[in-house]
Amino acid sequence: MHLERDVVLLITHSGDYFTIDRVAEAVSKRGAQPFRLDTDKFPIAIQIEANLSNFGNNHTLKYGENSLNTEQVQAVWMRRIWQPDLGKELAPQFQAACSKESLAVLDGFWDSLRTAKWVDDLQCISAAENKLRQLRIASEVGLIIPRTLVTNNPQEAREFFHQVNKKMITKLLRPLSYGMQASSFFMYTSVVKEEDLADAETLRYCPAVFQEQIPKQLELRAIYVNGKLFVGALDASEYATSTQDWRRGKKEALIWEPYQLPDKLIGCLGAFMVKFGLLFGAFDFIQTPSGEYVFLEINPTGEWGMLERDLDYPIAEAIADTLLLENS
Protein backbone atom coordinates (compact mmCIF):
# COMPACT_ATOMS: atom_id res chain seq x y z
CA MET A 1 0.00 0.00 0.00
CA HIS A 2 1.37 3.41 -0.99
CA LEU A 3 1.32 6.04 1.72
CA GLU A 4 1.56 9.79 1.19
CA ARG A 5 3.52 12.16 3.41
CA ASP A 6 0.60 13.08 5.71
CA VAL A 7 0.68 9.92 7.82
CA VAL A 8 -0.49 9.76 11.44
CA LEU A 9 1.16 6.88 13.26
CA LEU A 10 -1.12 5.23 15.83
CA ILE A 11 0.97 3.32 18.38
CA THR A 12 -1.04 0.52 20.00
CA HIS A 13 -1.28 -3.29 20.27
CA SER A 14 -3.18 -5.97 18.39
CA GLY A 15 -5.87 -6.40 21.07
CA ASP A 16 -6.87 -2.73 21.00
CA TYR A 17 -10.27 -1.79 19.63
CA PHE A 18 -12.92 0.96 19.51
CA THR A 19 -10.78 3.91 20.61
CA ILE A 20 -8.06 3.13 18.07
CA ASP A 21 -10.69 2.72 15.35
CA ARG A 22 -12.43 5.97 16.27
CA VAL A 23 -9.21 7.97 16.16
CA ALA A 24 -8.19 6.35 12.85
CA GLU A 25 -11.59 7.28 11.40
CA ALA A 26 -11.32 10.86 12.65
CA VAL A 27 -7.81 11.18 11.19
CA SER A 28 -9.04 9.91 7.81
CA LYS A 29 -11.89 12.45 7.82
CA ARG A 30 -9.28 15.19 8.09
CA GLY A 31 -7.46 14.05 4.96
CA ALA A 32 -4.52 12.30 6.62
CA GLN A 33 -3.63 8.60 6.51
CA PRO A 34 -3.70 6.62 9.75
CA PHE A 35 -1.06 3.90 10.12
CA ARG A 36 -1.75 1.45 12.94
CA LEU A 37 1.37 0.01 14.55
CA ASP A 38 0.68 -2.97 16.83
CA THR A 39 3.81 -2.94 18.99
CA ASP A 40 3.30 -6.50 20.26
CA LYS A 41 3.79 -7.73 16.68
CA PHE A 42 7.40 -6.55 16.63
CA PRO A 43 9.76 -8.19 15.82
CA ILE A 44 7.96 -11.30 14.48
CA ALA A 45 5.48 -9.64 12.10
CA ILE A 46 7.00 -6.15 11.81
CA GLN A 47 10.36 -5.33 10.25
CA ILE A 48 12.27 -2.16 11.17
CA GLU A 49 15.34 -1.00 9.29
CA ALA A 50 17.56 1.90 10.35
CA ASN A 51 20.43 3.12 8.17
CA LEU A 52 22.69 5.70 9.79
CA SER A 53 25.89 7.36 8.58
CA ASN A 54 27.61 10.75 8.48
CA PHE A 55 25.58 11.47 5.38
CA GLY A 56 22.22 11.10 7.13
CA ASN A 57 19.89 8.47 8.47
CA ASN A 58 16.82 6.69 7.23
CA HIS A 59 14.27 4.62 9.14
CA THR A 60 11.69 2.36 7.51
CA LEU A 61 9.06 0.01 8.85
CA LYS A 62 7.15 -2.80 7.16
CA TYR A 63 3.96 -4.25 8.60
CA GLY A 64 1.97 -6.63 6.44
CA GLU A 65 1.47 -5.05 3.02
CA ASN A 66 2.28 -1.56 4.30
CA SER A 67 5.66 0.13 4.44
CA LEU A 68 6.49 3.43 6.06
CA ASN A 69 9.38 5.85 6.07
CA THR A 70 9.52 8.04 9.15
CA GLU A 71 9.84 11.13 6.94
CA GLN A 72 6.21 10.54 5.93
CA VAL A 73 4.92 10.81 9.50
CA GLN A 74 3.29 14.10 10.39
CA ALA A 75 1.98 13.15 13.85
CA VAL A 76 2.05 10.31 16.36
CA TRP A 77 -0.66 9.19 18.80
CA MET A 78 0.85 7.25 21.71
CA ARG A 79 -1.94 4.93 22.79
CA ARG A 80 -0.04 1.89 24.10
CA ILE A 81 3.43 0.32 23.84
CA TRP A 82 3.23 -3.42 24.44
CA GLN A 83 5.81 -6.06 25.27
CA PRO A 84 7.14 -7.88 22.17
CA ASP A 85 5.44 -11.17 21.33
CA LEU A 86 8.33 -13.51 20.54
CA GLY A 87 6.24 -16.62 20.00
CA LYS A 88 6.93 -20.09 21.39
CA GLU A 89 9.74 -21.19 19.11
CA LEU A 90 12.42 -19.05 20.77
CA ALA A 91 14.12 -20.80 23.68
CA PRO A 92 13.06 -19.37 27.07
CA GLN A 93 16.62 -18.38 28.03
CA PHE A 94 16.74 -15.96 25.06
CA GLN A 95 13.29 -14.40 25.55
CA ALA A 96 14.31 -11.65 27.99
CA ALA A 97 17.38 -10.55 26.02
CA CYS A 98 15.51 -10.46 22.70
CA SER A 99 12.63 -8.56 24.28
CA LYS A 100 15.01 -5.92 25.69
CA GLU A 101 16.78 -5.59 22.35
CA SER A 102 13.49 -5.22 20.51
CA LEU A 103 12.36 -2.46 22.87
CA ALA A 104 15.72 -0.71 22.41
CA VAL A 105 15.25 -0.76 18.63
CA LEU A 106 11.74 0.66 19.08
CA ASP A 107 13.22 3.45 21.21
CA GLY A 108 15.51 4.33 18.32
CA PHE A 109 12.55 4.27 15.94
CA TRP A 110 10.62 6.67 18.20
CA ASP A 111 13.65 8.97 18.20
CA SER A 112 13.55 9.08 14.40
CA LEU A 113 10.04 10.57 14.74
CA ARG A 114 11.15 13.42 17.02
CA THR A 115 10.16 16.14 14.50
CA ALA A 116 6.58 14.84 14.27
CA LYS A 117 3.85 16.13 16.56
CA TRP A 118 3.31 13.70 19.44
CA VAL A 119 0.26 13.22 21.63
CA ASP A 120 2.08 12.86 23.85
CA ASP A 121 5.88 13.08 24.07
CA LEU A 122 7.21 9.83 25.54
CA GLN A 123 9.42 11.53 28.11
CA CYS A 124 6.50 13.66 29.31
CA ILE A 125 4.35 10.54 29.60
CA SER A 126 7.05 8.73 31.54
CA ALA A 127 7.43 11.63 33.98
CA ALA A 128 3.66 11.87 34.46
CA GLU A 129 3.28 8.15 35.20
CA ASN A 130 5.03 8.60 38.55
CA LYS A 131 2.11 8.79 40.97
CA LEU A 132 4.12 10.44 43.73
CA ARG A 133 5.11 13.21 41.34
CA GLN A 134 1.45 13.48 40.34
CA LEU A 135 0.39 14.05 43.93
CA ARG A 136 3.09 16.68 44.47
CA ILE A 137 2.16 18.61 41.33
CA ALA A 138 -1.57 18.28 42.06
CA SER A 139 -1.06 19.87 45.46
CA GLU A 140 1.11 22.63 43.97
CA VAL A 141 -1.58 23.65 41.44
CA GLY A 142 -4.31 23.78 44.09
CA LEU A 143 -5.94 20.35 43.92
CA ILE A 144 -6.94 18.49 47.09
CA ILE A 145 -5.10 15.18 47.50
CA PRO A 146 -5.60 12.30 49.99
CA ARG A 147 -3.20 11.83 52.90
CA THR A 148 -0.69 9.36 51.50
CA LEU A 149 2.06 7.15 52.91
CA VAL A 150 4.51 5.16 50.79
CA THR A 151 6.66 2.84 52.87
CA ASN A 152 8.44 -0.46 53.18
CA ASN A 153 8.35 -0.15 56.99
CA PRO A 154 5.60 -2.37 58.44
CA GLN A 155 5.35 -0.37 61.67
CA GLU A 156 4.85 2.91 59.77
CA ALA A 157 1.97 1.30 57.84
CA ARG A 158 0.30 0.17 61.09
CA GLU A 159 0.67 3.61 62.64
CA PHE A 160 -0.75 5.33 59.56
CA PHE A 161 -3.72 2.95 59.69
CA HIS A 162 -4.64 4.33 63.11
CA GLN A 163 -3.84 7.93 62.14
CA VAL A 164 -6.57 7.77 59.46
CA ASN A 165 -9.02 6.15 61.91
CA LYS A 166 -8.70 2.70 60.33
CA LYS A 167 -10.09 4.04 57.02
CA MET A 168 -7.25 3.15 54.66
CA ILE A 169 -6.79 1.88 51.12
CA THR A 170 -3.77 0.54 49.25
CA LYS A 171 -2.82 0.81 45.57
CA LEU A 172 0.07 0.31 43.18
CA LEU A 173 2.46 2.97 41.98
CA ARG A 174 2.66 1.09 38.67
CA PRO A 175 0.32 -1.54 37.19
CA LEU A 176 1.47 -5.14 37.31
CA SER A 177 2.05 -7.11 34.15
CA TYR A 178 -1.11 -8.75 32.84
CA GLY A 179 0.73 -12.05 32.94
CA MET A 180 1.32 -12.05 36.69
CA GLN A 181 -0.81 -14.32 38.83
CA ALA A 182 -1.49 -11.81 41.61
CA SER A 183 -4.37 -11.46 44.02
CA SER A 184 -6.89 -8.67 43.54
CA PHE A 185 -5.48 -7.07 46.69
CA PHE A 186 -2.45 -6.10 44.63
CA MET A 187 -4.14 -5.48 41.29
CA TYR A 188 -6.74 -2.90 42.28
CA THR A 189 -7.28 -0.13 44.79
CA SER A 190 -8.47 -2.04 47.85
CA VAL A 191 -9.60 -1.39 51.41
CA VAL A 192 -7.09 -2.39 54.09
CA LYS A 193 -8.42 -4.14 57.17
CA GLU A 194 -6.58 -4.58 60.44
CA GLU A 195 -6.04 -8.28 59.82
CA ASP A 196 -4.37 -7.45 56.49
CA LEU A 197 -1.62 -5.67 58.38
CA ALA A 198 -0.74 -8.86 60.23
CA ASP A 199 1.25 -9.82 57.11
CA ALA A 200 2.74 -6.35 56.68
CA GLU A 201 6.26 -7.72 57.16
CA THR A 202 6.23 -8.49 53.43
CA LEU A 203 6.56 -4.73 52.87
CA ARG A 204 10.27 -5.25 53.47
CA TYR A 205 10.41 -6.81 50.01
CA CYS A 206 8.09 -4.41 48.19
CA PRO A 207 6.98 -0.94 49.37
CA ALA A 208 3.30 -0.07 49.09
CA VAL A 209 1.13 3.02 48.78
CA PHE A 210 -1.39 3.67 51.54
CA GLN A 211 -3.98 6.45 51.51
CA GLU A 212 -6.79 7.67 53.68
CA GLN A 213 -10.10 6.33 52.43
CA ILE A 214 -12.12 9.21 50.97
CA PRO A 215 -15.92 9.10 51.37
CA LYS A 216 -17.56 9.00 47.94
CA GLN A 217 -20.59 10.62 46.41
CA LEU A 218 -19.40 10.43 42.81
CA GLU A 219 -16.40 9.02 40.99
CA LEU A 220 -15.33 11.20 38.09
CA ARG A 221 -13.19 10.47 35.06
CA ALA A 222 -12.17 13.68 33.29
CA ILE A 223 -10.59 13.34 29.84
CA TYR A 224 -8.44 16.34 29.00
CA VAL A 225 -7.58 16.90 25.33
CA ASN A 226 -5.65 20.08 24.56
CA GLY A 227 -7.79 22.33 26.75
CA LYS A 228 -11.09 20.49 26.21
CA LEU A 229 -12.67 18.45 29.00
CA PHE A 230 -15.02 15.47 28.73
CA VAL A 231 -16.22 14.32 32.14
CA GLY A 232 -18.15 11.20 33.13
CA ALA A 233 -19.60 10.57 36.59
CA LEU A 234 -20.52 7.37 38.39
CA ASP A 235 -22.80 7.23 41.40
CA ALA A 236 -20.39 5.71 43.90
CA SER A 237 -23.20 4.34 46.05
CA GLU A 238 -24.04 1.92 43.23
CA TYR A 239 -20.87 -0.12 43.74
CA ALA A 240 -18.91 1.22 46.71
CA THR A 241 -20.41 -1.39 49.03
CA SER A 242 -18.61 -4.18 47.18
CA THR A 243 -15.36 -2.63 45.97
CA GLN A 244 -13.14 0.40 46.20
CA ASP A 245 -12.30 0.50 42.50
CA TRP A 246 -14.99 0.91 39.84
CA ARG A 247 -12.76 -0.94 37.34
CA ARG A 248 -13.40 -4.15 39.27
CA GLY A 249 -17.16 -3.89 38.83
CA LYS A 250 -19.19 -5.40 36.03
CA LYS A 251 -18.72 -3.07 33.10
CA GLU A 252 -22.32 -3.47 31.95
CA ALA A 253 -23.57 -2.34 35.37
CA LEU A 254 -21.72 0.99 35.25
CA ILE A 255 -23.90 3.90 34.18
CA TRP A 256 -21.88 6.95 33.18
CA GLU A 257 -23.54 10.35 33.36
CA PRO A 258 -22.26 13.61 31.85
CA TYR A 259 -20.81 16.05 34.37
CA GLN A 260 -19.54 19.64 34.42
CA LEU A 261 -16.61 20.51 36.67
CA PRO A 262 -16.43 23.94 38.34
CA ASP A 263 -14.30 26.56 36.56
CA LYS A 264 -11.77 26.78 39.39
CA LEU A 265 -11.07 23.04 39.19
CA ILE A 266 -10.80 23.22 35.39
CA GLY A 267 -8.15 25.92 35.80
CA CYS A 268 -6.19 23.67 38.15
CA LEU A 269 -6.28 20.84 35.62
CA GLY A 270 -4.94 23.13 32.91
CA ALA A 271 -2.07 24.20 35.17
CA PHE A 272 -1.36 20.54 36.02
CA MET A 273 -1.11 19.62 32.33
CA VAL A 274 1.21 22.54 31.60
CA LYS A 275 3.52 21.41 34.42
CA PHE A 276 3.84 17.98 32.78
CA GLY A 277 3.84 19.20 29.18
CA LEU A 278 0.89 16.96 28.29
CA LEU A 279 -1.88 17.46 25.73
CA PHE A 280 -3.90 14.41 26.81
CA GLY A 281 -4.70 12.89 30.19
CA ALA A 282 -7.36 10.85 31.98
CA PHE A 283 -7.95 12.25 35.47
CA ASP A 284 -9.68 10.37 38.29
CA PHE A 285 -11.43 12.32 41.06
CA ILE A 286 -13.77 11.63 43.94
CA GLN A 287 -16.53 14.07 44.83
CA THR A 288 -17.25 13.66 48.53
CA PRO A 289 -20.75 13.90 50.07
CA SER A 290 -19.80 17.45 51.19
CA GLY A 291 -19.08 18.44 47.58
CA GLU A 292 -15.28 18.49 47.81
CA TYR A 293 -13.24 17.27 44.82
CA VAL A 294 -10.29 15.01 45.68
CA PHE A 295 -7.63 14.22 43.09
CA LEU A 296 -6.67 10.55 42.86
CA GLU A 297 -4.42 10.24 39.82
CA ILE A 298 -3.90 10.90 36.13
CA ASN A 299 -3.20 8.27 33.49
CA PRO A 300 -1.41 10.02 30.59
CA THR A 301 -2.59 7.30 28.18
CA GLY A 302 -5.81 6.47 30.04
CA GLU A 303 -9.03 4.88 28.85
CA TRP A 304 -11.88 6.99 27.48
CA GLY A 305 -13.78 4.72 25.10
CA MET A 306 -16.64 4.15 27.55
CA LEU A 307 -17.31 7.89 27.74
CA GLU A 308 -17.41 8.32 23.96
CA ARG A 309 -19.58 5.23 23.63
CA ASP A 310 -22.03 5.94 26.45
CA LEU A 311 -22.13 9.74 26.44
CA ASP A 312 -21.44 10.41 22.75
CA TYR A 313 -18.50 12.64 23.60
CA PRO A 314 -16.36 13.59 20.54
CA ILE A 315 -13.07 12.62 22.21
CA ALA A 316 -11.60 10.92 19.14
CA GLU A 317 -12.39 14.04 17.11
CA ALA A 318 -10.59 16.21 19.68
CA ILE A 319 -7.54 13.92 19.57
CA ALA A 320 -7.46 14.03 15.76
CA ASP A 321 -7.72 17.83 15.84
CA THR A 322 -4.84 18.03 18.29
CA LEU A 323 -2.72 15.77 16.09
CA LEU A 324 -3.38 17.57 12.84
CA LEU A 325 -4.26 21.20 13.41
CA GLU A 326 -1.20 23.43 13.27
CA ASN A 327 -2.54 25.84 15.88
CA SER A 328 -3.64 23.11 18.30
Side-chain angles (χ1 to χ4, degrees), residues 144-327:
I144 297 170
I145 64 173
R147 289 183 62 186
T148 303
L149 172 71
V150 182
T151 187
N152 61 341
N153 184 325
Q155 185 57 33
E156 292 289 340
R158 296 187 185 102
E159 290 178 7
F160 186 72
F161 181 74
H162 292 284
Q163 289 170 14
V164 296
N165 300 315
K166 302 183 180 181
K167 299 289 186 180
M168 188 169 83
I169 58 98
T170 186
K171 60 169 64 174
L172 287 170
L173 284 176
R174 300 185 67 85
L176 292 179
S177 164
Y178 287 96
M180 291 182 67
Q181 298 298 316
S183 71
S184 60
F185 181 85
F186 291 102
M187 290 299 290
Y188 296 99
T189 300
S190 303
V191 174
V192 178
K193 299 177 182 177
E194 196 150 18
E195 54 265 32
D196 295 324
L197 294 173
D199 295 328
E201 295 303 320
T202 57
L203 287 175
R204 294 185 297 114
Y205 304 101
C206 182
V209 183
F210 301 101
Q211 286 182 333
E212 62 175 322
Q213 185 178 349
I214 305 297
K216 299 178 182 181
Q217 182 66 35
L218 297 174
E219 287 219 37
L220 304 170
R221 172 147 291 199
I223 305 301
Y224 182 105
V225 188
N226 196 29
K228 296 181 179 179
L229 268 180
F230 308 91
V231 187
L234 289 174
D235 182 351
S237 65
E238 292 294 319
Y239 60 90
T241 55
S242 60
T243 179
Q244 271 302 111
D245 194 324
W246 59 265
R247 290 166 292 186
R248 291 181 68 179
K250 293 181 178 179
K251 301 297 186 291
E252 63 273 14
L254 300 177
I255 301 175
W256 291 95
E257 299 288 346
Y259 194 85
Q260 178 65 42
L261 293 173
D263 290 343
K264 182 178 179 180
L265 187 60
I266 293 173
C268 292
L269 299 189
F272 182 99
M273 297 297 278
V274 168
K275 288 262 192 180
F276 279 110
L278 294 173
L279 294 167
F280 175 91
F283 287 91
D284 285 330
F285 281 88
I286 287 174
Q287 186 193 40
T288 68
S290 64
E292 191 173 60
Y293 295 92
V294 180
F295 169 88
L296 298 180
E297 63 182 20
I298 182 178
N299 186 331
T301 58
E303 189 55 62
W304 49 267
M306 66 286 192
L307 299 186
E308 177 147 332
R309 180 198 64 204
D310 296 351
L311 302 178
D312 202 29
Y313 282 154
I315 300 173
E317 300 283 336
I319 291 171
D321 281 340
T322 303
L323 287 163
L324 291 168
L325 294 183
E326 291 183 5
N327 62 349

Side-chain angles (χ1 to χ4, degrees), residues 2-75:
H2 178 67
L3 296 172
E4 302 296 338
R5 291 189 64 86
D6 294 335
V7 173
V8 176
L9 184 65
L10 309 177
I11 302 174
T12 187
H13 63 93
S14 58
D16 200 8
Y17 66 99
F18 187 76
T19 50
I20 188 76
D21 298 328
R22 296 297 285 261
V23 171
E25 181 183 350
V27 164
S28 295
K29 283 168 54 179
R30 285 155 178 77
Q33 295 188 71
F35 187 106
R36 174 173 176 160
L37 176 57
D38 295 317
T39 50
D40 58 315
K41 295 297 185 181
F42 179 72
I44 300 298
I46 296 173
Q47 290 78 49
I48 290 178
E49 182 178 313
N51 290 288
L52 302 97
S53 72
N54 291 122
F55 303 103
N57 59 82
N58 184 271
H59 296 253
T60 59
L61 178 148
K62 295 181 180 179
Y63 185 16
E65 298 179 355
N66 299 325
S67 63
L68 176 73
N69 189 295
T70 53
E71 291 181 354
Q72 299 171 280
V73 179
Q74 177 181 351

